[in-house]
Amino acid sequence: MEETAREIAARLRENGHIAYFAGGCVRDMVRGLTAKDYDIATDARPEAVQRLFPRTHAVGAHFGVILVVENDFQFEVATFRSDEAYINGRHPTSVRFSSPEEDAKRRDFTINGMFYDPVAEEVIDFVGGRADIAAKLVRAIGDPAQRFAEDRLRMLRAVRFATVLDYKIDSQTWDALVANASSINQISAERIRDELVRVFLSPNRVRGWDLLDSSGLMRAILPELDRMKGVLQPEQFHPEGDVFQHTRLMLQFLPETVSVLLVFAVLFHDVAKPVTATVDKTGRIRFNEHDRIGAEMTDAIMRRLRFSGAEIEAAVEMVRQHMVFKDVPRMRTAKLKRFMARLTFDDELELHRVDCESSHRMLDNYEFLLRKREEFASEPMSRSFHRRWCAGMI
């Protein structure tokens, strides 16, 4: 892919244009990593880019962005530009094609504002990106409040970069983020969802949780999680503390690599505890039907964030079933086999494990199910039974 990106830059150069790598790929290169994709910035106007390459798509020609397809790879080739005023928290009213330095200064963070000249083999840094990478710092370019007003998603992106890269957020950038966090819902739910997914799929997801919480973004985006704070639980089963702390600990106990369904089921499995909390005659705290009501709330939250129907259905099933695990030793064999054959079972089993690890730490049922999975897998099965097992019908 890098070789093809260099070929595109070379063709632009051969035709009298400046052509640099830009954005995240340069950040990765400065960090000594292999870039996952390459964006190219140039002084060539969109129409000139389209004349030079046979396969293009004008995905954002108004903003100077042309998608170039070469060797089955796609590259965004963008004309250096300066943006005029923003009125919708995402797009400028108009753009003016400009110089590399002006283009760098309208970008979001210094670590994303560098260019790389593939001919001279040198980094071009107008914004101090290399110094901030060395300092492990996420810093807005220019006035942070203005950068966030231009595109509210940049607040979530700051959290995502700090999470994934394990960087700190510059103090002025952080202050502007906190001051503007309540405005995050001005942007589309799909864009918010995609950033949340990146945060929580990161092995450093607990840091992402903490940044979302302390910035006020969690309260704005997922108020249902914020309401778990201070919701006490029976100490004999939950010595770790309230529902909010319990959920945070579960994220900590997850393996580095997780599915989207598992991590969001962890987030929402106890989401109904604040609305179901009662104290019975003996003084014990109870959360009757929090699994059923939590499944309904999970459905509503994930629809609000525009997850796919299949993702919603699976996550809702996981939340609805998470309390059933306490009953597995008493299930009849046929029922247990049906329970374990469901498509969401493997993720549910991991949800159960971290639920226990972050509370009472009793893993008897988890270990029972591991033994049963091995036992059932070794049983001889007829072909029709095996087909139904694999299809989740048993």
Side-chain angles (χ1 to χ4, degrees):
M1 189 175 195
E2 180 180 353
E3 182 179 348
T4 304
R6 287 178 178 273
E7 291 170 0
I8 291 172
R11 194 177 310 173
L12 287 161
R13 294 286 287 261
E14 289 163 5
N15 284 271
H17 299 293
I18 299 170
Y20 298 148
F21 295 165
C25 65
V26 183
R27 180 191 67 238
D28 291 341
M29 294 168 75
V30 171
R31 297 178 65 227
L33 303 176
T34 300
K36 297 182 180 66
D37 50 46
Y38 291 83
D39 292 336
I40 297 163
T42 179
D43 63 347
R45 298 296 179 96
E47 59 273 17
V49 173
Q50 290 188 292
R51 284 196 300 269
L52 287 173
F53 298 95
R55 297 178 62 196
T56 64
H57 303 284
V59 294
H62 177 69
F63 301 105
V65 182
I66 299 295
L67 195 69
V68 173
V69 182
E70 289 279 305
N71 299 331
D72 295 326
F73 297 118
Q74 295 183 347
F75 303 88
E76 282 193 5
V77 179
T79 307
F80 298 126
R81 74 177 203 238
S82 177
D83 296 338
E84 301 299 330
Y86 285 70
I87 58 171
N88 63 355
R90 181 177 182 185
H91 291 129
T93 53
S94 62
V95 302
R96 175 176 57 83
F97 296 132
S98 63
S99 66
E101 184 170 3
E102 286 181 288
D103 186 90
K105 290 180 178 178
R106 59 98 189 164
R107 293 174 180 261
D108 56 3
F109 305 110
T110 59
I111 59 174
N112 299 331
M114 299 173 289
F115 300 114
Y116 178 78
D117 185 335
V119 175
E121 301 281 357
E122 66 179 10
V123 174
I124 300 165
D125 184 6
F126 298 110
V127 294
R130 279 181 295 187
D132 283 342
I133 286 176
K136 296 188 174 182
L137 201 62
V138 177
R139 183 197 306 273
I141 295 172
D143 178 6
Q146 182 179 342
R147 293 289 84 79
F148 294 147
E150 290 166 352
D151 187 348
R152 298 298 183 187
L153 191 72
R154 287 171 173 170
M155 294 186 286
L156 267 175
R157 282 169 59 83
V159 168
R160 192 242 298 180
F161 287 124
T163 299
V164 172
L165 302 177
D166 197 18
Y167 282 14
K168 293 181 179 179
I169 299 178
D170 158 72
S171 60
Q172 288 185 317
T173 302
W174 177 256
D175 289 345
L177 196 166
V178 172
N180 290 277
S182 62
S183 66
I184 187 65
N185 290 311
Q186 292 177 11
I187 60 175
S188 73
E190 291 87 350
R191 299 179 79 211
I192 290 173
R193 175 204 62 213
D194 290 346
E195 291 298 325
L196 289 177
V197 166
R198 292 183 179 105
V199 167
F200 287 115
L201 288 187
S202 167
N204 208 20
R205 59 186 67 91
V206 175
R207 174 157 168 74
W209 166 280
D210 290 343
L211 290 170
L212 289 169
D213 175 32
S214 56
S215 67
L217 287 171
M218 182 183 289
R219 185 165 56 254
I221 299 167
L222 294 169
E224 298 87 351
L225 298 186
D226 190 69
R227 293 185 194 117
M228 297 191 302
K229 292 177 182 175
V231 178
L232 300 180
Q233 305 180 96
E235 289 188 10
Q236 65 268 42
F237 299 112
H238 289 279
E240 75 284 0
D242 66 17
V243 181
F244 191 84
Q245 179 66 12
H246 169 65
T247 304
R248 180 184 183 277
L249 276 175
M250 287 179 67
L251 294 176
Q252 184 175 315
F253 283 114
L254 285 171
E256 286 195 0
T257 302
V258 296
S259 69
V260 171
L261 295 178
L262 174 56
V263 76
F264 278 85
V266 165
L267 292 178
F268 301 143
H269 79 291
D270 279 349
V271 72
K273 280 190 172 180
V275 299
T276 59
T278 59
V279 179
D280 67 17
K281 293 179 181 179
T282 68
R284 178 175 166 179
I285 300 169
R286 295 192 178 276
F287 304 101
N288 295 332
E289 294 196 276
H290 82 273
D291 44 356
R292 179 186 64 79
I293 296 171
E296 294 172 358
M297 292 176 68
T298 298
D299 183 275
I301 295 167
M302 294 185 74
R303 287 186 189 281
R304 187 175 77 221
L305 291 171
R306 302 291 192 269
F307 279 90
S308 71
E311 289 171 322
I312 294 169
E313 183 179 354
V316 166
E317 172 75 358
M318 292 173 67
V319 172
R320 181 185 292 116
Q321 297 287 347
H322 82 275
M323 292 299 291
V324 177
F325 280 76
K326 70 182 185 334
D327 302 322
V328 292
R330 296 182 294 279
M331 285 185 184
R332 290 184 298 178
T333 299
K335 182 177 180 180
L336 182 61
K337 285 182 177 180
R338 288 195 298 272
F339 181 71
M340 294 176 67
R342 291 172 305 111
L343 296 177
T344 53
F345 176 75
D346 286 346
D347 274 341
E348 286 178 27
L349 183 60
E350 186 63 8
L351 171 65
H352 174 68
R353 180 187 70 81
V354 297
D355 200 2
C356 297
E357 290 272 18
S358 60
S359 54
H360 50 69
R361 299 197 171 186
M362 293 183 289
L363 296 172
D364 304 33
N365 289 357
Y366 174 74
E367 292 165 355
F368 168 82
L369 287 166
L370 291 182
R371 292 194 299 271
K372 286 298 180 181
R373 184 161 62 182
E374 186 175 347
E375 176 187 322
F376 295 157
S378 63
E379 287 181 356
M381 292 188 288
S382 69
R383 289 186 178 180
S384 62
F385 186 90
H386 184 265
R387 282 197 300 269
R388 287 182 291 146
W389 173 280
C390 292
M393 297 170 60
I394 294 178

Coordinates of all heavy atoms in Angstrom, one line a residue, residues 269-320:
H269 N -25.0 -4.4 31.0 CA -25.6 -5.6 31.6 C -26.3 -5.2 32.9 O -27.4 -5.8 33.3 CB -24.6 -6.7 31.9 CG -23.7 -6.5 33.1 ND1 -22.8 -5.5 33.2 CD2 -23.7 -7.1 34.3 CE1 -22.2 -5.5 34.4 NE2 -22.7 -6.5 35.1
D270 N -25.8 -4.2 33.6 CA -26.5 -3.7 34.9 C -27.1 -2.3 34.7 O -27.3 -1.7 35.7 CB -25.5 -3.7 36.0 CG -25.3 -5.1 36.6 OD1 -26.0 -6.0 36.3 OD2 -24.3 -5.3 37.4
V271 N -27.4 -1.9 33.5 CA -27.8 -0.6 33.3 C -29.2 -0.3 34.0 O -29.5 0.9 34.2 CB -27.9 -0.3 31.8 CG1 -29.1 -1.0 31.1 CG2 -27.9 1.2 31.5
A272 N -29.9 -1.3 34.2 CA -31.3 -1.1 34.9 C -31.2 -1.1 36.4 O -32.3 -0.9 37.0 CB -32.3 -2.2 34.4
K273 N -30.1 -1.4 37.0 CA -30.0 -1.4 38.4 C -30.5 -0.1 39.1 O -31.2 -0.1 40.1 CB -28.7 -1.9 38.9 CG -28.5 -3.4 38.8 CD -27.2 -3.8 39.5 CE -27.1 -5.3 39.6 NZ -25.9 -5.8 40.3
P274 N -30.1 1.1 38.5 CA -30.6 2.3 39.2 C -32.1 2.4 39.2 O -32.6 3.0 40.1 CB -29.9 3.4 38.3 CG -28.7 2.8 37.7 CD -29.1 1.3 37.5
V275 N -32.8 1.9 38.2 CA -34.2 2.1 38.2 C -35.0 0.9 38.8 O -36.2 1.0 39.0 CB -34.7 2.2 36.7 CG1 -34.1 3.5 36.1 CG2 -34.5 1.0 35.9
T276 N -34.3 -0.2 39.2 CA -34.9 -1.3 39.8 C -34.5 -1.5 41.3 O -35.0 -2.4 42.0 CB -34.6 -2.6 39.1 OG1 -33.2 -2.8 39.1 CG2 -35.1 -2.5 37.7
A277 N -33.6 -0.6 41.8 CA -33.1 -0.8 43.2 C -34.2 -0.6 44.2 O -34.9 0.3 44.2 CB -32.0 0.2 43.4
T278 N -34.3 -1.6 45.1 CA -35.2 -1.6 46.2 C -34.5 -2.2 47.4 O -33.5 -2.9 47.3 CB -36.5 -2.4 46.0 OG1 -36.2 -3.7 45.7 CG2 -37.3 -1.7 44.8
V279 N -35.1 -2.0 48.6 CA -34.6 -2.7 49.8 C -35.7 -3.5 50.4 O -36.8 -2.9 50.7 CB -34.1 -1.6 50.9 CG1 -33.6 -2.3 52.1 CG2 -33.0 -0.8 50.2
D280 N -35.5 -4.8 50.6 CA -36.6 -5.6 51.1 C -36.7 -5.5 52.6 O -36.0 -4.7 53.3 CB -36.4 -7.1 50.7 CG -35.2 -7.8 51.3 OD1 -34.7 -7.3 52.3 OD2 -34.8 -8.8 50.8
K281 N -37.7 -6.3 53.2 CA -37.9 -6.2 54.7 C -36.8 -6.6 55.5 O -36.7 -6.2 56.7 CB -39.1 -7.1 55.0 CG -40.5 -6.7 54.4 CD -41.6 -7.6 54.7 CE -42.9 -7.2 54.1 NZ -44.0 -8.1 54.4
T282 N -35.8 -7.4 55.0 CA -34.7 -7.8 55.8 C -33.5 -6.7 55.7 O -32.5 -6.9 56.3 CB -34.1 -9.1 55.3 OG1 -33.6 -9.0 53.9 CG2 -35.3 -10.2 55.3
G283 N -33.8 -5.7 54.8 CA -32.7 -4.7 54.7 C -31.8 -5.0 53.5 O -30.8 -4.3 53.3
R284 N -32.1 -6.1 52.8 CA -31.2 -6.4 51.6 C -31.6 -5.6 50.4 O -32.7 -5.5 50.1 CB -31.3 -7.9 51.4 CG -30.4 -8.3 50.2 CD -30.4 -9.8 50.0 NE -29.8 -10.2 48.7 CZ -29.7 -11.4 48.2 NH1 -30.0 -12.5 49.0 NH2 -29.2 -11.7 47.0
I285 N -30.5 -5.1 49.7 CA -30.7 -4.4 48.4 C -31.0 -5.4 47.3 O -30.4 -6.5 47.2 CB -29.5 -3.6 48.1 CG1 -29.1 -2.6 49.2 CG2 -29.7 -2.9 46.7 CD1 -27.7 -2.0 49.0
R286 N -32.1 -5.1 46.6 CA -32.5 -6.0 45.5 C -32.6 -5.2 44.2 O -33.0 -4.1 44.2 CB -33.7 -6.8 45.8 CG -33.5 -7.8 47.0 CD -34.7 -8.7 47.1 NE -34.5 -9.7 48.2 CZ -33.8 -10.8 48.1 NH1 -33.3 -11.2 46.9 NH2 -33.7 -11.6 49.1
F287 N -32.5 -6.0 43.1 CA -32.6 -5.4 41.7 C -33.5 -6.3 40.9 O -33.1 -6.8 39.9 CB -31.3 -5.1 41.0 CG -30.3 -4.3 41.9 CD1 -29.3 -5.0 42.6 CD2 -30.4 -3.0 41.9 CE1 -28.4 -4.2 43.3 CE2 -29.5 -2.2 42.6 CZ -28.5 -2.8 43.3
N288 N -34.7 -6.5 41.3 CA -35.6 -7.4 40.7 C -35.9 -7.0 39.2 O -36.2 -5.9 38.9 CB -37.0 -7.5 41.4 CG -36.8 -8.1 42.8 OD1 -35.9 -8.9 43.1 ND2 -37.7 -7.7 43.7
E289 N -35.7 -8.0 38.4 CA -36.0 -7.9 36.9 C -35.0 -6.9 36.2 O -35.3 -6.4 35.1 CB -37.4 -7.5 36.6 CG -38.4 -8.6 37.0 CD -39.8 -8.3 36.4 OE1 -40.6 -7.5 37.0 OE2 -40.1 -8.9 35.3
H290 N -33.9 -6.7 36.8 CA -32.9 -5.7 36.2 C -32.4 -6.3 34.9 O -32.0 -5.6 34.0 CB -31.8 -5.3 37.1 CG -30.7 -6.3 37.2 ND1 -30.7 -7.4 38.1 CD2 -29.5 -6.4 36.5 CE1 -29.6 -8.1 38.0 NE2 -28.8 -7.5 37.0
D291 N -32.4 -7.7 34.7 CA -32.0 -8.3 33.5 C -33.0 -8.0 32.4 O -32.6 -7.6 31.3 CB -31.7 -9.8 33.7 CG -32.8 -10.5 34.5 OD1 -33.7 -9.8 35.0 OD2 -32.7 -11.7 34.6
R292 N -34.2 -8.2 32.7 CA -35.3 -8.0 31.6 C -35.4 -6.5 31.3 O -35.4 -6.1 30.1 CB -36.6 -8.5 32.1 CG -37.8 -8.3 31.1 CD -39.1 -8.7 31.7 NE -39.5 -7.8 32.8 CZ -40.0 -6.6 32.7 NH1 -40.2 -6.0 31.5 NH2 -40.4 -5.9 33.8
I293 N -35.4 -5.7 32.3 CA -35.5 -4.2 32.0 C -34.3 -3.7 31.4 O -34.3 -2.8 30.5 CB -35.9 -3.5 33.3 CG1 -37.3 -3.9 33.8 CG2 -35.9 -1.9 33.1 CD1 -37.6 -3.4 35.2
G294 N -33.1 -4.3 31.8 CA -31.9 -3.9 31.2 C -31.8 -4.2 29.8 O -31.2 -3.5 29.0
A295 N -32.4 -5.4 29.4 CA -32.4 -5.7 28.0 C -33.2 -4.7 27.2 O -32.8 -4.3 26.1 CB -33.0 -7.1 27.8
E296 N -34.3 -4.2 27.7 CA -35.1 -3.2 27.0 C -34.4 -1.9 26.9 O -34.4 -1.2 25.9 CB -36.4 -3.0 27.8 CG -37.4 -4.2 27.8 CD -38.6 -4.0 28.7 OE1 -38.6 -3.0 29.4 OE2 -39.4 -4.9 28.8
M297 N -33.6 -1.5 28.0 CA -32.9 -0.3 28.0 C -31.7 -0.4 27.0 O -31.4 0.5 26.3 CB -32.3 0.0 29.4 CG -33.4 0.4 30.3 SD -32.8 0.7 32.0 CE -31.8 2.2 31.8
T298 N -31.1 -1.6 26.9 CA -30.0 -1.8 26.0 C -30.5 -1.7 24.5 O -29.8 -1.0 23.7 CB -29.4 -3.3 26.2 OG1 -28.9 -3.4 27.5 CG2 -28.3 -3.6 25.1
D299 N -31.7 -2.2 24.3 CA -32.3 -2.0 22.9 C -32.4 -0.5 22.6 O -32.0 -0.1 21.5 CB -33.6 -2.7 22.9 CG -34.3 -2.7 21.6 OD1 -35.0 -1.7 21.3 OD2 -34.1 -3.6 20.8
A300 N -32.9 0.2 23.6 CA -33.2 1.7 23.3 C -31.9 2.4 23.1 O -31.8 3.3 22.2 CB -34.0 2.2 24.5
I301 N -30.9 2.1 24.0 CA -29.6 2.9 23.9 C -28.9 2.6 22.5 O -28.4 3.5 21.9 CB -28.7 2.5 25.0 CG1 -29.3 2.9 26.4 CG2 -27.3 3.1 24.9 CD1 -28.6 2.3 27.6
M302 N -28.9 1.3 22.2 CA -28.2 0.9 20.9 C -28.9 1.4 19.7 O -28.3 1.7 18.7 CB -27.9 -0.6 20.9 CG -26.9 -1.0 22.0 SD -26.5 -2.8 22.0 CE -25.3 -2.8 20.6
R303 N -30.2 1.5 19.8 CA -31.0 2.1 18.7 C -30.6 3.6 18.6 O -30.5 4.1 17.5 CB -32.5 1.9 18.8 CG -32.9 0.4 18.6 CD -34.4 0.2 18.6 NE -34.7 -1.2 18.5 CZ -34.7 -1.9 17.4 NH1 -34.4 -1.4 16.3 NH2 -34.9 -3.2 17.5
R304 N -30.5 4.2 19.7 CA -30.2 5.6 19.7 C -28.8 5.9 19.1 O -28.6 6.9 18.4 CB -30.2 6.1 21.2 CG -30.0 7.6 21.4 CD -30.2 8.0 22.8 NE -29.0 7.6 23.6 CZ -29.1 7.1 24.9 NH1 -30.3 6.9 25.4 NH2 -28.0 6.9 25.5
L305 N -27.9 4.9 19.3 CA -26.6 5.1 18.7 C -26.5 4.5 17.3 O -25.4 4.4 16.8 CB -25.6 4.4 19.7 CG -25.3 5.1 21.0 CD1 -24.5 4.3 21.9 CD2 -24.7 6.5 20.8
R306 N -27.6 4.0 16.8 CA -27.6 3.5 15.4 C -26.8 2.3 15.2 O -26.1 2.2 14.1 CB -27.2 4.7 14.4 CG -28.1 5.9 14.5 CD -29.5 5.7 14.0 NE -30.2 6.9 13.8 CZ -31.0 7.5 14.8 NH1 -31.1 6.9 16.0 NH2 -31.6 8.6 14.5
F307 N -26.7 1.4 16.1 CA -26.1 0.1 15.9 C -27.0 -0.7 14.9 O -28.2 -0.4 14.7 CB -25.9 -0.7 17.2 CG -24.7 -0.3 18.0 CD1 -24.8 0.7 18.9 CD2 -23.5 -0.9 17.8 CE1 -23.7 1.1 19.7 CE2 -22.4 -0.6 18.6 CZ -22.5 0.4 19.5
S308 N -26.4 -1.7 14.3 CA -27.2 -2.5 13.4 C -28.2 -3.4 14.1 O -28.1 -3.6 15.3 CB -26.3 -3.4 12.5 OG -25.8 -4.5 13.4
G309 N -29.3 -3.8 13.4 CA -30.3 -4.6 14.0 C -29.7 -5.9 14.6 O -30.1 -6.4 15.7
A310 N -28.8 -6.5 13.9 CA -28.2 -7.8 14.3 C -27.3 -7.5 15.6 O -27.4 -8.4 16.5 CB -27.3 -8.4 13.2
E311 N -26.6 -6.4 15.7 CA -25.8 -6.1 16.9 C -26.7 -5.9 18.1 O -26.5 -6.4 19.2 CB -24.9 -4.9 16.6 CG -23.8 -5.2 15.7 CD -23.1 -3.9 15.3 OE1 -23.7 -2.8 15.1 OE2 -21.8 -3.9 15.1
I312 N -27.8 -5.2 17.8 CA -28.7 -4.9 18.9 C -29.4 -6.1 19.4 O -29.4 -6.4 20.7 CB -29.8 -3.9 18.4 CG1 -29.2 -2.5 18.1 CG2 -30.9 -3.7 19.5 CD1 -30.2 -1.6 17.4
E313 N -29.8 -7.0 18.5 CA -30.5 -8.2 18.9 C -29.6 -9.1 19.8 O -30.0 -9.7 20.8 CB -30.9 -9.0 17.7 CG -31.7 -10.3 18.0 CD -32.2 -11.0 16.7 OE1 -32.0 -10.4 15.6 OE2 -32.7 -12.1 16.8
A314 N -28.3 -9.2 19.3 CA -27.3 -10.1 20.1 C -27.0 -9.5 21.4 O -27.0 -10.2 22.4 CB -26.1 -10.3 19.2
A315 N -26.8 -8.2 21.5 CA -26.4 -7.6 22.8 C -27.6 -7.6 23.8 O -27.4 -7.9 25.0 CB -26.0 -6.1 22.6
V316 N -28.8 -7.4 23.3 CA -30.0 -7.5 24.1 C -30.1 -8.9 24.7 O -30.4 -9.1 25.9 CB -31.2 -7.1 23.3 CG1 -32.5 -7.5 24.0 CG2 -31.2 -5.6 23.0
E317 N -29.9 -9.9 23.8 CA -29.9 -11.3 24.3 C -28.9 -11.6 25.4 O -29.2 -12.2 26.4 CB -29.7 -12.3 23.1 CG -29.5 -13.7 23.5 CD -30.8 -14.4 23.8 OE1 -31.9 -13.8 23.8 OE2 -30.8 -15.6 24.1
M318 N -27.7 -11.0 25.3 CA -26.7 -11.2 26.3 C -27.1 -10.6 27.6 O -26.8 -11.2 28.7 CB -25.3 -10.7 25.8 CG -24.8 -11.5 24.6 SD -23.3 -10.7 23.9 CE -22.1 -10.9 25.2
V319 N -27.6 -9.4 27.6 CA -28.0 -8.7 28.8 C -29.2 -9.5 29.4 O -29.2 -9.7 30.6 CB -28.4 -7.2 28.5 CG1 -29.0 -6.6 29.7 CG2 -27.2 -6.5 28.0
R320 N -30.1 -9.9 28.6 CA -31.3 -10.6 29.1 C -30.9 -11.9 29.8 O -31.5 -12.3 30.8 CB -32.3 -10.9 28.0 CG -33.6 -11.6 28.5 CD -34.5 -12.0 27.3 NE -35.0 -10.8 26.7 CZ -34.8 -10.4 25.4 NH1 -34.0 -11.1 24.7 NH2 -35.3 -9.3 24.9

